[in-house]
Amino acid sequence: MFARMKPLVKEALNQTLIFGKFLCLLHITDKYICSPIIVHGPSMLPTMNLTGDVILAEHISSRFGKLSVGDVVLVSSPENPRKTVTKRILGLEGDKVAFLVDPSFGSGNYRTIVVPKGHVWIQGDNIYASKDSRHFGPVPYGLIHGKVFCRLWPPDGFGWLDQ
Amino acid sequence: MVSLNFISSLSKNFFTYGLKGLTISDRYISVVPVRGCSMSPTFNPHCSTSLEGSTDDSVLVEKFCLQKYEFSLGDVIVFCSPNDNKEKCVKRITALPGYWVSSPFSNDVVKIPDGHCWVEGDNSASSLDSRSIGPVPFHIIWPLKRVGKLEQRIPSGRFVF
């Protein structure tokens, strides 16, 4: 009986190994190359919709430090490490950033801050409904794990995201 | 012809094992060398600043905790320094979010904000510019050289409440 099972078991093991290799490839692509993400929320209007867009983010630029001002990036939220937020970089380390402390009051009380070494300043495009560096300060560069470069859904919004 | 086949099969094997090794090291377990003396005597107990690190401790790092980001007081962690993204630091967690930390050398009392923790080295009062740091990629450590789990310890002489 075991003699009949042996080739079956071997075949099953082979298939499992191939499947395991496929999962590893998936993990590597998702983590190091590019991955699709669903984003929702009002903080990046009008660039991104309220109800949810599917975007493509690449992980190569952030690993090599090739991000620049104006890029839309995926950042681990400093207040909750399990949450990922999408914001735009407005200042790299050493830059001077001027921001409105409270845009709803209408009196332009700007404050200037110099971004410390190893940090970036991120802000949502919709300054009235976005929790960003104006609330929790500059964010360490290591929390950035991807740069958004293309939108896949909705179909009428398909295409590259501009700066 | 024979050498071409050999090279292609060798590179295929290399690629496959590299992929698997990278995945396992990212998700489950990995080995990290510890440099510097900030964690003496727990790691690198015979360290002195003039010697090169030929007797550095290597530690086993487990990454299961990254699924839920659950850390406890006294855990030793590996993380990227907030001031320099490429530099990895090894320290112990001495306060979690919501705790107040006061240092015996200054009059400040700091409340640890959500999503952050206070880390300190075992050796001196060096806690990364003495301020709380963000949860930049965290990993938790097991020592490789010692049998048994690294004990969780809270340093005395600090008011942590």
Side-chain angles (χ1 to χ4, degrees):
Chain A
M1 208 253 300
F2 285 126
R4 268 189 294 155
M5 294 276 289
K6 208 162 145 203
L8 272 173
V9 170
K10 202 159 166 212
E11 181 66 23
L13 260 152
N14 269 345
Q15 295 296 343
T16 317
L17 271 175
I18 295 182
F19 187 62
K21 270 193 256 184
F22 174 69
L23 285 181
C24 287
L25 194 63
L26 214 62
H27 166 88
I28 301 276
T29 314
D30 189 71
K31 181 144 183 232
Y32 292 103
I33 305 179
C34 89
S35 51
I37 312 267
I38 302 181
V39 295
H40 55 84
S43 64
M44 284 294 288
L45 286 167
T47 316
M48 299 200 192
N49 299 321
L50 180 61
T51 45
D53 283 358
V54 178
I55 51 140
L56 219 52
E58 52 99 348
H59 306 280
I60 306 179
S61 311
S62 52
R63 198 166 284 270
F64 288 113
K66 295 248 179 302
L67 295 175
S68 45
V69 174
D71 285 343
V72 180
V73 289
L74 292 177
V75 180
S76 271
S77 163
E79 296 174 335
N80 181 356
R82 297 201 273 174
K83 221 169 70 152
T84 309
V85 295
T86 332
K87 298 279 182 272
R88 200 182 286 271
I89 292 185
L90 286 193
L92 298 170
E93 65 185 10
D95 287 350
K96 250 208 184 93
V97 175
F99 64 100
L100 263 177
V101 172
D102 193 351
S104 47
F105 270 155
S107 69
N109 53 333
Y110 282 86
R111 278 182 52 197
T112 348
I113 193 169
V114 175
V115 180
K117 180 168 182 301
H119 289 60
V120 295
W121 186 270
I122 54 172
Q123 255 178 243
D125 284 348
N126 181 5
I127 52 173
Y128 300 99
S130 157
K131 266 195 111 173
D132 45 40
S133 285
R134 291 170 302 151
H135 303 97
F136 42 69
V139 161
Y141 191 92
L143 288 180
I144 299 180
H145 46 83
K147 172 177 153 187
V148 175
F149 68 101
C150 166
R151 188 195 346 244
L152 297 177
W153 189 270
D156 48 336
F158 185 90
W160 312 119
L161 248 51
D162 43 51
Q163 300 230 330
Chain B
M1 267 320 268
V2 173
S3 65
L4 201 63
N5 277 340
F6 175 70
I7 290 179
S8 85
S9 78
L10 193 68
S11 50
K12 218 160 53 145
N13 277 341
F14 185 69
F15 182 69
T16 313
Y17 288 123
L19 232 55
K20 289 188 189 163
L22 195 57
T23 309
I24 292 181
S25 137
D26 275 346
R27 299 195 90 137
Y28 305 120
I29 213 161
S30 162
V31 178
V32 171
V34 179
R35 296 213 163 74
C37 316
S38 63
M39 284 295 286
S40 293
T42 318
F43 299 131
N44 292 346
H46 311 295
C47 159
S48 86
T49 43
S50 57
L51 284 175
E52 258 308 303
S54 56
T55 51
D56 278 347
D57 274 352
S58 277
V59 291
L60 210 58
V61 176
E62 62 104 350
K63 308 209 179 170
F64 293 103
C65 55
L66 291 180
Q67 316 276 359
K68 296 249 168 92
Y69 282 101
E70 272 166 7
F71 299 101
S72 8
L73 223 50
D75 281 343
V76 182
I77 57 168
V78 180
F79 57 95
C80 297
S81 159
N83 291 335
D84 180 3
N85 185 42
K86 308 212 187 311
E87 196 185 297
K88 292 223 167 90
C89 301
V90 175
K91 299 273 184 282
R92 193 185 293 268
I93 294 183
T94 47
L96 294 173
Y99 282 48
W100 294 83
V101 175
S102 90
S103 144
F105 306 111
S106 82
N107 290 325
D108 288 344
V109 180
V110 173
K111 178 163 189 210
I112 314 275
D114 268 339
H116 293 57
C117 62
W118 190 270
V119 292
E120 277 175 27
D122 286 349
N123 197 9
S124 57
S126 62
S127 51
L128 274 200
D129 309 332
S130 300
R131 62 178 171 83
S132 49
I133 56 163
V136 187
F138 273 157
H139 318 271
I140 284 207
I141 298 189
W142 267 323
L144 188 60
K145 277 188 169 183
R146 297 158 223 248
V147 180
K149 222 171 115 158
L150 187 69
E151 62 180 39
Q152 297 189 335
R153 227 177 7 108
I154 304 178
S156 55
R158 294 296 162 111
F159 297 116
V160 176
F161 52 90

